[in-house]
Amino acid sequence: MTETTDAPGYPAEFAERYRAAGYWRGETFGQMLRDRAQAHPDRIAIVDPSGEGRRWTYGELDLRADRLAAGFLAHGIGKGDRVVVQLPNVAEFFEVVFALFRIGALPVFALPAHRETEIRHFCAFTEAAAYVIADVSEGYDYRELASKVRAEVPGLKHVFVAGDPGEHTALAAVPTEPVAVIPDAPAPHELAFLQLSGGSTGVPKLIPRTHDDYIYSLWGSNEICGVDEDSVYLCALPAAHNFPLSSPGTLGALYAGARVVLARRPSPDVAFPLIAAEGVTITGLVPPLALVWTEAAAETPYDLSSLQVLLVGGAKFSEEAARRVRPALGCTLQQVFGMAEGLVNYTRLDDPEEIIVTTQGRPISPADEVRVVDDEDNDLPAGETGHLLTRGPYTIRGYWRAPEHNATAFTADGFYRTGDVVRRTETGHLVVEGRAKDQINRGGEKVAAEEIENHILAHPAVHDAAVVSMPDAYLGERTCAYVVLREGAAPVKSIAIKKFVRERGLAAFKVPDRVEFVTEFPQTGIGKVSKKDLRAAIAAQVAAAA
Ligand code: J2J
């Protein structure tokens, strides 16, 4: 990426080094799909069992992306324009993102769980030209959400709907005859899309990824996870999330010329029949789902024997649970510790079982620079626990349009401060020991404490709020909001705070699981709220109740 005012790019000397070492192959997503389609047009690329069921070949996906790209251009959407994409796991997701990749417009990957507040922010902050949704999914009507957002963000010119468009434009009406040459097609070093950060700040930050860097993370992952053209990848998590998108994910599978099977939900009742029917070889899950699957596998009538690799990541997978994967599912567990900002670590398929169950893996690339440091940024030896900093050929150098935040989220020499607290073993594997960022990891779904605190603070009876994690047997962590009410305010019920947050238009996973009312917060030595004490207090309460 060349330096732009939107995001800091890779310094020239690093870009040259990554190219010379062969990590950046000079490919773009648009060309990548074209190459696969030319090599084997009739192989199946996407299986979408929803509705009447769709099986798109590489040739068909390529043609659809071309036609949709031409249609987007005809609608005035072009290079560099942002398009918020909020789709469930449907075939159109791939048609849309490859069409956008081809014309150099940037998908902004929203999750199906996002609601008005988040979508309004993504559309307004990115000055999006368009917003792509499904009509109704899981009982929720996205067209109504789009109408509200459109009324509030006047710059948003188009809403495209996969399915019945209502008052918006049908996605199916957009494609036109492919254009012979796409004007100003994106170059490999340019931005491909904006990914969402889990974040720890008031509003989610956007992560600018280039074709070069992301494509490296794909083929690098494919090599480590054994994905080749005979693989069948089941996308069970929301397709837009970085893990199922790229580790090695749907895009890794398409890079390999493999088959992608889409599950509308990750539950065994949906996923297991698909594994059996499609001969799924590899998939990825967050830890709570991996637990559900290992339990359900014992009783399932479906044949899961095609499954070779189960990736588990997004949150810490306990050793105890990790040990159950192979006996229950008959496949190799691969732990993955990744982040949408870049760095991805995997246990290797041939690592000893002890390493597979007790570590979160090691980086994809020999060029990934990993530092474990103390509070003063001094490097720590193997075996000691500290902050993880990283820099490398697929880790961003800064968030999109966030210069102030970048000044603290990155070191002066470009290392990303992950906010994760890790220990590096003698073998070079990382063990995630905790987190320094103010975030709750709710079974892989990230909740920024500050974002929720700000919403609670908007409640008229609330004087102060502090959101912390509390231990949970199933999700690992849930959110607990400590609230101080205004003096003289009438008593408020927990449920009223939860309802208030939900009605502010947030993803359901961000609504506090528990609300505790207190008269004051414990303080640290320097007079800040001691979240450490709050976490300890709620953990003790949870333990006592168990
Ligand atoms: C502990 N914490 C983990 C793990 C991520 C692959 C896999 C996951 C993500 C992802 C991803 C963890 N053990 N195994 O993008 O490509 C926590 C860390 C990390 C944060 C990143 C991928 N795996 N985490 O989860 O951007 O705190 O990416 O910094 O959503 O999740 O979250 P996210």
Side-chain angles (χ1 to χ4, degrees), residues 248-297:
T250 56
L251 294 184
L254 294 175
Y255 187 90
R259 180 176 299 189
V260 170
V261 177
L262 300 172
R264 284 298 282 266
R265 278 193 300 273
S267 52
D269 61 317
V270 175
F272 285 6
L274 286 175
I275 294 174
E278 299 292 336
V280 167
T281 61
I282 177 167
T283 187
L285 294 175
V286 289
L289 284 169
L291 282 175
V292 171
W293 279 37
T294 47
E295 274 163 30

Coordinates of all heavy atoms in Angstrom, one line a residue, residues 248-297:
P248 N -7.7 -20.8 7.2 CA -7.4 -20.4 5.9 C -8.7 -19.9 5.2 O -8.7 -19.1 4.3 CB -6.9 -21.5 5.1 CG -7.2 -22.7 6.0 CD -7.6 -22.3 7.3
G249 N -9.8 -20.4 5.8 CA -11.1 -19.8 5.5 C -11.6 -19.9 4.0 O -11.0 -20.6 3.2
T250 N -12.7 -19.2 3.8 CA -13.3 -19.3 2.4 C -12.3 -18.8 1.4 O -12.2 -19.4 0.3 CB -14.6 -18.5 2.4 OG1 -14.3 -17.2 2.8 CG2 -15.6 -19.1 3.3
L251 N -11.7 -17.7 1.7 CA -10.8 -17.1 0.6 C -9.6 -17.9 0.4 O -9.1 -18.1 -0.7 CB -10.4 -15.6 1.0 CG -11.6 -14.6 1.0 CD1 -11.1 -13.2 1.3 CD2 -12.4 -14.7 -0.3
G252 N -9.1 -18.6 1.5 CA -7.9 -19.5 1.4 C -8.4 -20.7 0.5 O -7.6 -21.1 -0.4
A253 N -9.5 -21.2 0.8 CA -10.0 -22.3 0.0 C -10.2 -21.9 -1.5 O -9.8 -22.7 -2.4 CB -11.4 -22.8 0.6
L254 N -10.7 -20.8 -1.8 CA -10.9 -20.3 -3.2 C -9.5 -20.1 -3.8 O -9.3 -20.4 -5.0 CB -11.7 -19.1 -3.3 CG -13.2 -19.3 -2.8 CD1 -13.9 -17.9 -2.9 CD2 -13.9 -20.3 -3.7
Y255 N -8.6 -19.6 -3.0 CA -7.2 -19.5 -3.5 C -6.6 -20.8 -4.0 O -6.0 -20.9 -5.0 CB -6.3 -18.8 -2.5 CG -4.9 -18.5 -3.0 CD1 -4.7 -17.2 -3.6 CD2 -3.9 -19.4 -3.0 CE1 -3.5 -16.9 -4.2 CE2 -2.6 -19.1 -3.6 CZ -2.4 -17.8 -4.1 OH -1.2 -17.5 -4.7
A256 N -7.0 -21.9 -3.2 CA -6.4 -23.2 -3.5 C -7.2 -23.9 -4.6 O -6.9 -25.0 -5.1 CB -6.5 -24.1 -2.2
G257 N -8.3 -23.3 -5.0 CA -9.2 -23.9 -6.0 C -10.1 -25.0 -5.4 O -10.5 -25.9 -6.0
A258 N -10.3 -24.9 -4.1 CA -11.0 -25.9 -3.3 C -12.5 -25.5 -3.3 O -12.9 -24.6 -4.0 CB -10.5 -26.0 -1.9
R259 N -13.3 -26.3 -2.6 CA -14.7 -26.1 -2.5 C -15.1 -25.4 -1.1 O -14.6 -25.9 -0.1 CB -15.4 -27.4 -2.6 CG -16.9 -27.3 -2.6 CD -17.6 -28.7 -2.9 NE -17.2 -29.2 -4.2 CZ -17.7 -30.3 -4.7 NH1 -18.7 -31.0 -4.1 NH2 -17.3 -30.7 -5.9
V260 N -16.0 -24.4 -1.2 CA -16.5 -23.8 0.0 C -17.9 -24.2 0.2 O -18.7 -24.1 -0.7 CB -16.4 -22.3 -0.1 CG1 -17.1 -21.6 1.0 CG2 -14.9 -21.8 -0.2
V261 N -18.2 -24.7 1.4 CA -19.6 -25.0 1.7 C -20.1 -24.1 2.8 O -19.4 -23.9 3.8 CB -19.7 -26.5 2.3 CG1 -21.1 -26.8 2.7 CG2 -19.2 -27.5 1.2
L262 N -21.2 -23.5 2.6 CA -21.7 -22.5 3.5 C -22.8 -23.0 4.5 O -23.8 -23.6 4.0 CB -22.3 -21.3 2.8 CG -21.4 -20.6 1.8 CD1 -22.1 -19.6 0.9 CD2 -20.3 -19.9 2.6
A263 N -22.6 -22.8 5.8 CA -23.6 -23.2 6.7 C -24.3 -22.0 7.2 O -23.6 -21.0 7.6 CB -23.0 -24.0 7.9
R264 N -25.6 -21.9 7.2 CA -26.3 -20.7 7.7 C -26.1 -20.5 9.2 O -26.2 -19.4 9.7 CB -27.8 -20.8 7.4 CG -28.1 -20.5 5.9 CD -27.6 -19.1 5.5 NE -28.5 -18.1 5.9 CZ -29.5 -17.6 5.2 NH1 -29.7 -18.0 3.9 NH2 -30.3 -16.6 5.6
R265 N -26.0 -21.7 9.9 CA -25.7 -21.6 11.4 C -24.6 -22.6 11.7 O -24.5 -23.6 11.0 CB -27.0 -21.9 12.1 CG -27.9 -20.8 12.3 CD -29.0 -21.1 13.3 NE -29.8 -22.2 12.9 CZ -30.9 -22.2 12.1 NH1 -31.3 -21.0 11.6 NH2 -31.5 -23.3 11.8
P266 N -23.9 -22.4 12.8 CA -22.8 -23.3 13.1 C -23.2 -24.5 14.0 O -22.3 -25.2 14.4 CB -21.8 -22.4 13.9 CG -22.7 -21.4 14.6 CD -23.9 -21.2 13.7
S267 N -24.5 -24.6 14.2 CA -24.9 -25.7 15.2 C -24.8 -27.0 14.5 O -24.9 -27.2 13.3 CB -26.3 -25.4 15.6 OG -27.1 -25.2 14.5
P268 N -24.5 -28.1 15.3 CA -24.4 -29.4 14.7 C -25.6 -29.9 13.9 O -25.4 -30.5 12.9 CB -24.3 -30.3 16.0 CG -23.7 -29.4 17.0 CD -24.3 -28.1 16.8
D269 N -26.8 -29.5 14.2 CA -27.9 -29.9 13.4 C -27.8 -29.4 12.0 O -28.4 -30.0 11.1 CB -29.3 -29.5 14.1 CG -29.4 -28.0 14.2 OD1 -28.4 -27.4 14.6 OD2 -30.5 -27.5 14.0
V270 N -27.2 -28.2 11.8 CA -27.0 -27.7 10.4 C -25.7 -28.2 9.8 O -25.6 -28.6 8.7 CB -27.0 -26.2 10.4 CG1 -26.7 -25.6 9.1 CG2 -28.4 -25.7 10.9
A271 N -24.6 -28.2 10.6 CA -23.3 -28.4 10.1 C -23.0 -29.9 9.8 O -22.4 -30.3 8.8 CB -22.2 -27.9 11.1
F272 N -23.5 -30.8 10.8 CA -23.1 -32.2 10.6 C -23.7 -32.8 9.3 O -23.0 -33.5 8.6 CB -23.6 -33.0 11.8 CG -22.7 -32.8 13.1 CD1 -21.7 -31.8 13.1 CD2 -22.9 -33.5 14.2 CE1 -20.9 -31.6 14.2 CE2 -22.1 -33.3 15.3 CZ -21.1 -32.4 15.3
P273 N -24.9 -32.6 9.0 CA -25.4 -33.1 7.7 C -24.6 -32.6 6.5 O -24.4 -33.3 5.5 CB -26.9 -32.6 7.6 CG -27.3 -32.2 9.0 CD -26.0 -31.9 9.7
L274 N -24.2 -31.3 6.6 CA -23.4 -30.8 5.5 C -22.0 -31.5 5.4 O -21.5 -31.7 4.3 CB -23.2 -29.3 5.7 CG -24.4 -28.4 5.4 CD1 -24.1 -26.9 5.8 CD2 -24.8 -28.5 3.9
I275 N -21.4 -31.7 6.5 CA -20.1 -32.4 6.5 C -20.3 -33.8 5.9 O -19.5 -34.1 5.0 CB -19.6 -32.6 8.0 CG1 -19.3 -31.2 8.6 CG2 -18.4 -33.5 8.0 CD1 -18.9 -31.3 10.1
A276 N -21.3 -34.5 6.2 CA -21.5 -35.8 5.7 C -21.8 -35.7 4.2 O -21.3 -36.5 3.4 CB -22.7 -36.5 6.4
A277 N -22.7 -34.8 3.8 CA -23.2 -34.8 2.4 C -22.1 -34.2 1.5 O -22.0 -34.7 0.3 CB -24.4 -33.9 2.3
E278 N -21.3 -33.3 1.9 CA -20.3 -32.7 1.0 C -18.9 -33.2 1.2 O -18.0 -32.7 0.5 CB -20.3 -31.1 1.3 CG -21.7 -30.5 1.0 CD -22.0 -30.5 -0.5 OE1 -21.1 -30.6 -1.4 OE2 -23.2 -30.5 -0.8
G279 N -18.7 -34.1 2.2 CA -17.3 -34.6 2.4 C -16.4 -33.5 2.9 O -15.2 -33.4 2.5
V280 N -16.9 -32.7 3.8 CA -16.1 -31.5 4.4 C -14.8 -32.1 5.0 O -14.8 -33.0 5.7 CB -16.9 -30.7 5.4 CG1 -16.0 -29.8 6.2 CG2 -18.0 -30.0 4.7
T281 N -13.7 -31.4 4.6 CA -12.4 -31.9 5.2 C -11.8 -31.0 6.3 O -11.0 -31.4 7.1 CB -11.3 -32.0 4.1 OG1 -11.1 -30.7 3.5 CG2 -11.7 -32.9 3.0
I282 N -12.3 -29.7 6.3 CA -11.7 -28.7 7.2 C -12.7 -27.6 7.6 O -13.5 -27.2 6.7 CB -10.4 -28.1 6.7 CG1 -9.8 -27.1 7.6 CG2 -10.6 -27.6 5.2 CD1 -8.4 -26.7 7.3
T283 N -12.7 -27.2 8.8 CA -13.6 -26.1 9.2 C -13.0 -25.4 10.4 O -12.0 -25.9 11.0 CB -15.0 -26.6 9.5 OG1 -15.8 -25.4 9.7 CG2 -15.1 -27.5 10.7
G284 N -13.5 -24.3 10.8 CA -13.0 -23.5 11.9 C -14.2 -23.1 12.8 O -15.3 -22.8 12.4
L285 N -13.9 -23.2 14.1 CA -14.9 -22.8 15.1 C -14.3 -22.0 16.3 O -13.1 -22.2 16.6 CB -15.5 -24.1 15.8 CG -16.3 -25.1 14.9 CD1 -16.6 -26.3 15.7 CD2 -17.5 -24.4 14.3
V286 N -15.1 -21.3 17.0 CA -14.7 -20.7 18.2 C -14.9 -21.7 19.3 O -15.6 -22.7 19.2 CB -15.5 -19.4 18.5 CG1 -15.2 -18.3 17.6 CG2 -17.0 -19.7 18.5
P287 N -14.2 -21.5 20.5 CA -14.1 -22.6 21.5 C -15.5 -23.1 22.0 O -15.7 -24.3 22.1 CB -13.3 -21.9 22.6 CG -12.4 -21.0 21.9 CD -13.2 -20.5 20.8
P288 N -16.5 -22.2 22.3 CA -17.8 -22.7 22.8 C -18.4 -23.6 21.8 O -19.0 -24.6 22.2 CB -18.6 -21.4 22.9 CG -17.7 -20.3 23.0 CD -16.5 -20.7 22.2
L289 N -18.3 -23.3 20.5 CA -18.9 -24.2 19.5 C -18.1 -25.5 19.4 O -18.7 -26.6 19.2 CB -18.9 -23.5 18.1 CG -20.0 -22.5 18.0 CD1 -19.8 -21.7 16.7 CD2 -21.4 -23.1 17.9
A290 N -16.8 -25.4 19.5 CA -16.0 -26.7 19.5 C -16.5 -27.6 20.6 O -16.6 -28.8 20.4 CB -14.5 -26.4 19.6
L291 N -16.8 -27.0 21.7 CA -17.3 -27.9 22.9 C -18.6 -28.5 22.5 O -18.9 -29.7 22.7 CB -17.5 -27.0 24.1 CG -16.3 -26.6 24.9 CD1 -16.7 -25.6 26.0 CD2 -15.7 -27.8 25.5
V292 N -19.5 -27.7 21.9 CA -20.8 -28.3 21.5 C -20.7 -29.4 20.5 O -21.3 -30.4 20.6 CB -21.7 -27.1 20.9 CG1 -23.0 -27.7 20.3 CG2 -22.0 -26.1 22.0
W293 N -19.8 -29.2 19.5 CA -19.6 -30.2 18.5 C -19.0 -31.5 19.1 O -19.4 -32.6 18.7 CB -18.6 -29.7 17.4 CG -19.2 -28.8 16.4 CD1 -20.2 -27.8 16.6 CD2 -18.9 -28.7 15.0 NE1 -20.5 -27.2 15.4 CE2 -19.7 -27.7 14.4 CE3 -18.0 -29.4 14.2 CZ2 -19.6 -27.4 13.1 CZ3 -17.9 -29.1 12.8 CH2 -18.7 -28.1 12.3
T294 N -18.0 -31.3 20.0 CA -17.4 -32.6 20.5 C -18.5 -33.4 21.3 O -18.5 -34.6 21.3 CB -16.2 -32.3 21.4 OG1 -16.5 -31.3 22.3 CG2 -15.0 -31.9 20.6
E295 N -19.4 -32.7 22.0 CA -20.4 -33.4 22.7 C -21.4 -34.0 21.7 O -21.8 -35.2 21.9 CB -21.2 -32.4 23.7 CG -20.4 -32.4 25.0 CD -20.8 -31.2 25.8 OE1 -22.0 -30.7 25.7 OE2 -20.0 -30.7 26.6
A296 N -21.8 -33.2 20.7 CA -22.9 -33.7 19.8 C -22.3 -34.9 18.9 O -23.1 -35.7 18.5 CB -23.3 -32.6 18.9
A297 N -21.0 -34.9 18.7 CA -20.5 -35.9 17.8 C -20.7 -37.3 18.3 O -20.9 -38.3 17.5 CB -19.0 -35.7 17.6

